[in-house]
Amino acid sequence: MDPTRRPRRLRRDGVREIVSETSLSPSDLIAPVFVDATTDERVPIASMPGHDRVPVASAVDRVEEVLDTGIETVVLFGIPESKDATGSRAWAEDGVVQCAIRDITRETDATVITDVCMCEYTDHGHCGILEDNARESPELTVDNDATLDRLARIAVSHAEAGAQMVAPSSMTDGMVGAIRGALDAAGFESVAIMSYAAKYESAFYGPFRDAADGAPAFGDRRHYQMDPANAREAMAEVALDVEQGADVLMVKPALAYLDIISAVRENFDQPVAAYNVSGEYAMLHAAAEKGWLDLDAVAHESLLSIKRAGADLILTYFAEAIADQL
Ligand code: PBG
């Protein structure tokens, strides 16, 4: 047959570019930065090639490296000097993240977002205050309601230090409302909340848990993070966070959850963020190291697919490398 419709006409060099539906820009990307109070020097993260934990004294240098690529926004994670049952270093005025925020906002123009969670700060590695007897019973882990006011204190301490946006990641029911109320009561009405609204109990977080030293000491997170089998439940989770005042809605992980990103985009009008997590980064690096994949190409294609699915913003360990390519 003689086709009159020839889609290939639009795939010629010079034409392909002008009909491209999706593009990536450095302003879509958010670079994660790990600040570590237990070290005086930069420590490479073995399972995340190219990423280091940096001491507070190097936080500004680290953020300047990010800014040099054209990326304007970082999300900060902290590794405290000590841990305890209630994660008290998470809201300390002289805590690792609080000190880093003050330095970064004083010395750079970066937009600072902070992860609000307790798993890096508790000696048991769970994302909140434990229920009584949690260690003995596999059905028990985090006391949801007792955790809310801790998360609120952490968020306020980040805002006091100068964070422009806080990102609660603990999947505590009611966390967005508790944080919004506490921020407003402390005079931080203009600090935004990016909620990890649909965060799955995923095996793709492995390398991060090494990086941030936040693996649970017992049990797992399935009582608070979402079941990977569920999509409708994600819409219910996101709707709750919207009601409670979430400004940006995050889906995490990204690549295995493109359907969720797309559904959140369809159903809600807030900006949508996707977290291209540590395991998604590590697997491409591992395959590239073996010579099996072209790293730059697969990283770009991955981020493009996340954007195409509907994400406005992407938190990714590839941020700097991709911004350099662009
Ligand atoms: C803290 C937190 C985690 C990640 C971001 N914030 C770990 C977890 O929930 O276990 C994972 C990020 C990544 O894998 O890149 N709760």
Side-chain angles (χ1 to χ4, degrees):
M1 79 155 199
D2 178 17
T4 51
R5 302 282 313 266
R6 294 181 188 271
R8 292 169 56 161
R9 286 179 197 127
L10 298 184
R11 294 182 197 139
R12 298 174 64 193
D13 290 348
V15 176
R16 193 176 51 243
E17 293 76 7
I18 62 169
V19 298
S20 165
E21 298 175 30
T22 311
S23 64
L24 285 170
S25 129
S27 63
D28 304 327
L29 306 177
I30 299 172
V33 167
F34 296 96
V35 188
D36 185 348
T38 69
T39 177
D40 294 331
E41 24 189 272
R42 292 171 70 136
V43 182
I45 302 165
S47 50
M48 297 170 65
H51 283 272
D52 295 339
R53 298 175 172 198
V54 304
V56 175
S58 305
V60 168
D61 289 349
R62 176 72 194 97
V63 170
E64 270 165 358
E65 293 168 9
V66 173
L67 296 174
D68 282 345
T69 68
I71 301 214
E72 289 154 9
T73 308
V74 294
V75 57
L76 295 184
F77 295 92
I79 296 101
E81 54 289 285
S82 62
K83 305 181 187 236
D84 60 28
T86 59
S88 61
R89 293 302 298 166
W91 59 83
E93 199 190 335
D94 62 348
V96 59
V97 163
Q98 291 79 0
C99 291
I101 301 167
R102 281 193 295 270
D103 291 353
I104 294 163
T105 52
R106 190 180 57 241
E107 296 188 33
T108 79
D109 293 328
T111 299
V112 174
I113 305 177
T114 57
D115 187 76
V116 173
C117 196
M118 295 178 64
C119 54
E120 296 104 313
Y121 300 88
T122 52
D123 52 14
H124 45 74
H126 278 289
C127 303
I129 302 294
L130 290 188
E131 292 183 303
D132 294 339
N133 304 323
R135 283 168 202 271
E136 283 74 51
S137 163
E139 275 300 314
L140 298 174
T141 44
V142 166
D143 182 338
N144 188 87
D145 296 9
T147 299
L148 289 172
D149 104 273
R150 310 298 171 125
L151 296 173
R153 282 167 78 170
I154 298 168
V156 169
S157 76
H158 291 174
E160 280 169 346
Q164 282 107 319
M165 191 180 292
V166 294
S169 66
S170 58
M171 288 298 280
T172 313
D173 292 336
M175 67 183 185
V176 173
I179 289 172
R180 186 71 270 158
L183 287 173
D184 291 355
F188 295 111
E189 297 87 355
S190 58
V191 171
I193 301 177
M194 172 191 284
S195 180
Y196 287 70
K199 176 172 175 179
Y200 286 87
E201 208 265 330
S202 169
F204 284 104
Y205 306 151
F208 173 94
R209 292 180 185 172
D210 299 337
D213 194 22
F218 66 94
D220 52 43
R221 306 207 202 286
R222 80 180 72 178
H223 302 298
Y224 41 102
Q225 298 179 348
M226 286 185 57
D227 182 342
N230 296 352
R232 291 190 301 271
E233 186 190 4
M235 298 308 109
E237 275 283 2
V238 173
L240 286 171
D241 286 5
V242 168
E243 271 167 37
Q244 292 170 43
D247 300 289
V248 180
L249 307 171
M250 194 208 293
V251 174
K252 178 185 172 192
L255 291 177
Y257 298 86
L258 294 176
D259 58 327
I260 309 299
I261 295 171
S262 165
V264 174
R265 170 74 296 146
E266 286 290 308
N267 288 295
F268 298 91
D269 293 327
Q270 283 76 6
V272 176
Y275 201 141
N276 176 224
V277 301
S278 57
E280 300 174 311
Y281 178 80
M283 65 182 175
L284 298 193
H285 266 275
E289 249 171 56
K290 286 195 172 275
W292 293 346
L293 290 175
D294 172 342
L295 185 63
D296 286 347
V298 288
H300 186 271
E301 186 177 331
S302 298
L303 299 194
L304 199 63
S305 75
I306 295 167
K307 186 97 189 280
R308 192 191 63 232
D312 303 293
L313 298 169
I314 307 173
L315 296 84
T316 177
Y317 305 97
F318 288 117
E320 290 161 89
I322 294 293
D324 275 337
Q325 277 184 42
L326 301 171

